[in-house]
Amino acid sequence: MKLKIITLVLLFFYFGNVTAQVNPSEEKMKIATVKDLKVLNFNELESYLKSKDDNKTYVVNFWATWCAPCVKELPYFEDLNSNYSSKNVEVILVSLDFPKQIETKLKSFLEKRHLKSEVIVLNDVDSNTWIPKVDKNWSGAIPATIIYNSNKTTFYERSFNYEELENELKQFIK
């Protein structure tokens, strides 16, 4: 009995020390990352996007699996990412799916569609604060897209077909 108590005490102190040594930011990233999906609040998303390469043009699309027009236009963003990645263009898909549906719905959706663009889940319930930061005129409706580079930013609260999306992008990469 004494041996079991000593073993439990040693295990408690061992795991207590291991937990105390974890860097809080590393622990936060472990919690926030779910099998290659970044789950970020708006401030983290904003910081992440600001840390990107200034020499690229970014196409950031806000979408969700429950939004039919969003799902319809996803292949156009995928094609754009594929066709323009060699021209310093990067597509980032910001999912507004509910975090509780990541495992049950979003992951299977992404696997089924074989999306190659980077997907980030925006988990921030304070939409009244972050929506105007994306664009002061955004109603919050999706699909919504921002195309930007170091010289120009344009916000679109609409859906696209490939030709329309490509035409808008070409204005950034002249």
Side-chain angles (χ1 to χ4, degrees):
M1 182 69 176
K2 282 186 177 183
L3 184 60
K4 285 183 181 180
I5 292 173
I6 291 171
T7 303
L8 285 174
V9 170
L10 288 175
L11 285 173
F12 174 78
F13 282 112
Y14 175 76
F15 287 112
N17 284 338
V18 169
T19 301
Q21 294 173 355
V22 173
N23 180 338
S25 63
E26 290 174 354
E27 188 171 357
K28 188 176 179 182
M29 284 304 291
K30 283 181 184 175
I31 293 168
T33 303
V34 181
K35 287 189 180 179
D36 301 325
L37 278 179
K38 290 181 181 73
V39 182
L40 306 174
N41 64 36
F42 184 76
N43 290 335
E44 293 167 331
L45 174 65
E46 193 174 42
S47 295
Y48 178 72
L49 294 176
K50 284 180 181 176
S51 71
K52 294 289 209 172
D53 185 352
D54 286 341
N55 296 317
K56 284 187 168 185
T57 297
Y58 294 93
V59 179
V60 180
N61 175 251
F62 293 86
W63 69 287
T65 56
W66 44 263
C67 167
C70 303
V71 171
K72 182 180 178 185
E73 70 177 6
L74 278 178
Y76 310 136
F77 286 90
E78 283 294 290
D79 290 346
L80 196 76
N81 194 42
S82 176
N83 296 336
Y84 285 89
S85 62
S86 64
K87 296 176 182 164
N88 251 358
V89 173
E90 184 176 335
V91 172
I92 300 173
L93 303 172
V94 178
S95 169
L96 299 179
D97 283 276
F98 302 112
K100 67 181 179 186
Q101 294 180 329
I102 290 173
E103 292 296 328
T104 58
K105 194 169 183 181
L106 181 59
K107 282 187 174 181
S108 61
F109 179 90
L110 296 174
E111 289 172 7
K112 185 177 176 183
R113 296 218 169 21
H114 304 288
L115 297 180
K116 303 275 190 258
S117 301
E118 180 178 14
V119 177
I120 297 173
V121 179
L122 178 57
N123 181 17
D124 196 329
V125 295
D126 193 10
S127 58
N128 289 333
T129 300
W130 60 261
I131 285 174
K133 289 181 181 177
V134 173
D135 187 87
K136 66 180 181 180
N137 296 318
W138 186 16
S139 72
I142 54 174
T145 303
I146 301 171
I147 302 177
Y148 71 94
N149 59 24
S150 58
N151 300 320
K152 184 178 176 182
T153 300
T154 304
F155 175 78
Y156 309 89
E157 187 172 351
R158 55 172 282 201
S159 57
F160 288 99
N161 63 35
Y162 183 77
E163 185 180 2
E164 294 167 336
L165 189 57
E166 185 177 44
N167 286 338
E168 293 299 328
L169 176 63
K170 284 180 178 176
Q171 296 177 36
F172 287 81
I173 57 171
K174 293 177 182 175

